[in-house]
Amino acid sequence: MVTKGTGRYGRDVLAGDWRRPKKGAVREIPLTRDLVVEDADETFCGAVVSWDKAAVTLEDRDGRRRVFELGPAAFLVDGEPVTLVRPAAAPQGPVRSASGSIAVTDARARTARESRIYVEGAHDAELVEKVWGHDLRVEGVAVEFLEGIDDLPAVVAEFSPGPGRRLGVLVDHLVPGSKESRIAERVRGSDVLVVGHPYVDVWQAVRPRAVGIGAWPEVPRGLPWKEGVVDALGWRVETGEAWRRILGSVRGYGDLEPSLLGRVEELIDFVTGPHDTELAEL
């Protein structure tokens, strides 16, 4: 006599989730931002954008997001069932700001210096604030935007730079022979530093992988650049919303191109460094 559920063949081999490998046979992969995975039911594929103790958020190439519970063999990587696990806690050390500098946690924002940094537009200012905001507040450096570079000579004249009152300027598309380079030459001086990145717009200073794209599209001459980028990427959003998506993808200096990082650091050093009168006293 055979008892129900037992016997020659044991329990039903199809009972339970027979698609998942046995315990111990599934590879564990630490969660990392931009890791591309698919849920085990093959309903959604996207890059990891965030996670907590119980769930992970994925974003697909169209910007749609879905949240999935973390569990054994709950995801696929290149068709292989895997278990996503939270990364091991990093060794304790100095807290770093978004710019990579050591964060000052016990100091109030310094009274603003007379020296200033100017950038071309609101997007430039928002990006600088997101990555270098902590450093600038500690140093007491204010950042303002110009709404274009054409009026830079008048702005510099009104600012009246001099000893103890330096002006640093970050310019888009500062390449030899450009209109921007000619204007920059007119205002440079011992108390005015004009530097720039080679990109048409500061959007391009964000690394494509941070935004989840392969590369920034080429926009034909004569077409509005930002609108052309949005159209080429198929985002179907206004440029303001596109910028919020781009800015939201920036977590720190590692998401920016070196050609922007170096220029902003150069400006901060210029407006906070010792001036000629201070050097003479040393």
Side-chain angles (χ1 to χ4, degrees):
M1 180 177 179
V2 178
T3 304
K4 184 177 180 181
T6 62
R8 180 177 177 182
Y9 296 105
R11 66 180 182 84
D12 184 355
V13 295
L14 298 182
D17 192 349
W18 57 273
R19 295 170 299 174
R20 301 187 187 276
K22 295 180 180 179
K23 185 177 180 181
V26 181
R27 186 160 60 101
E28 291 188 346
I29 296 182
L31 283 159
T32 57
R33 193 163 169 265
D34 296 331
L35 173 68
V36 176
V37 301
E38 187 175 14
D39 71 295
D41 294 326
E42 301 181 14
T43 63
F44 192 86
C45 181
V48 172
V49 293
S50 64
W51 63 83
D52 56 25
K53 293 182 179 180
V56 60
T57 300
L58 305 181
E59 181 178 289
D60 69 10
R61 65 179 60 187
D62 296 319
R64 294 173 299 197
R65 294 190 177 191
R66 285 186 57 184
V67 178
F68 294 91
E69 292 185 2
L70 294 171
F75 300 92
L76 304 175
V77 172
D78 295 330
E80 174 194 356
V82 299
T83 299
L84 299 182
V85 296
R86 287 185 298 155
Q92 292 297 317
V95 177
R96 298 281 177 175
S97 70
S99 70
S101 64
I102 297 177
V104 180
T105 58
D106 56 352
R108 294 182 179 180
R110 178 174 173 172
T111 301
R113 297 171 182 260
E114 290 191 51
S115 298
R116 293 285 187 275
I117 291 176
Y118 277 81
V119 296
E120 277 208 54
H123 293 179
D124 306 67
E126 289 170 351
L127 186 60
V128 169
E129 162 61 27
K130 183 160 188 179
V131 177
W132 288 274
H134 170 82
D135 309 55
L136 293 168
R137 283 185 288 277
V138 169
E139 295 290 349
V141 177
V143 175
E144 302 180 21
F145 63 90
L146 300 167
E147 296 185 353
I149 194 177
D150 291 343
D151 295 328
L152 182 59
V155 170
V156 173
E158 182 179 356
F159 183 80
S160 298
R165 186 176 171 82
R166 286 180 173 174
L167 181 61
V169 185
L170 178 68
V171 177
D172 296 341
H173 198 233
L174 190 62
V175 295
S178 66
K179 174 190 73 174
E180 291 82 0
S181 66
R182 291 191 293 271
I183 294 175
E185 286 302 322
R186 291 170 55 190
V187 301
R188 284 194 176 104
S190 59
D191 296 302
V192 180
L193 175 65
V194 182
V195 299
H197 57 73
Y199 308 114
V200 174
D201 191 274
V202 78
W203 288 19
Q204 289 180 296
V206 179
R207 287 182 167 177
R209 62 166 179 76
V211 187
I213 61 177
W216 288 105
E218 294 288 338
V219 178
R221 283 181 173 272
L223 294 180
W225 190 84
K226 291 176 182 176
E227 288 80 356
V229 166
V230 171
D231 183 62
L233 293 176
W235 280 359
R236 299 179 182 177
V237 296
E238 298 296 328
T239 56
E241 185 177 345
W243 170 244
R244 288 191 290 274
R245 178 185 296 185
I246 295 166
L247 184 63
S249 70
V250 176
R251 303 294 182 88
Y253 70 97
D255 293 325
L256 302 182
E257 296 288 358
S259 51
L260 175 68
L261 292 172
R263 302 297 75 72
V264 176
E265 297 287 352
E266 188 176 353
L267 289 175
I268 294 174
D269 289 345
F270 177 74
V271 299
T272 61
H275 297 262
D276 292 341
T277 54
E278 295 171 314
L279 290 172
E281 295 173 356
L282 294 179

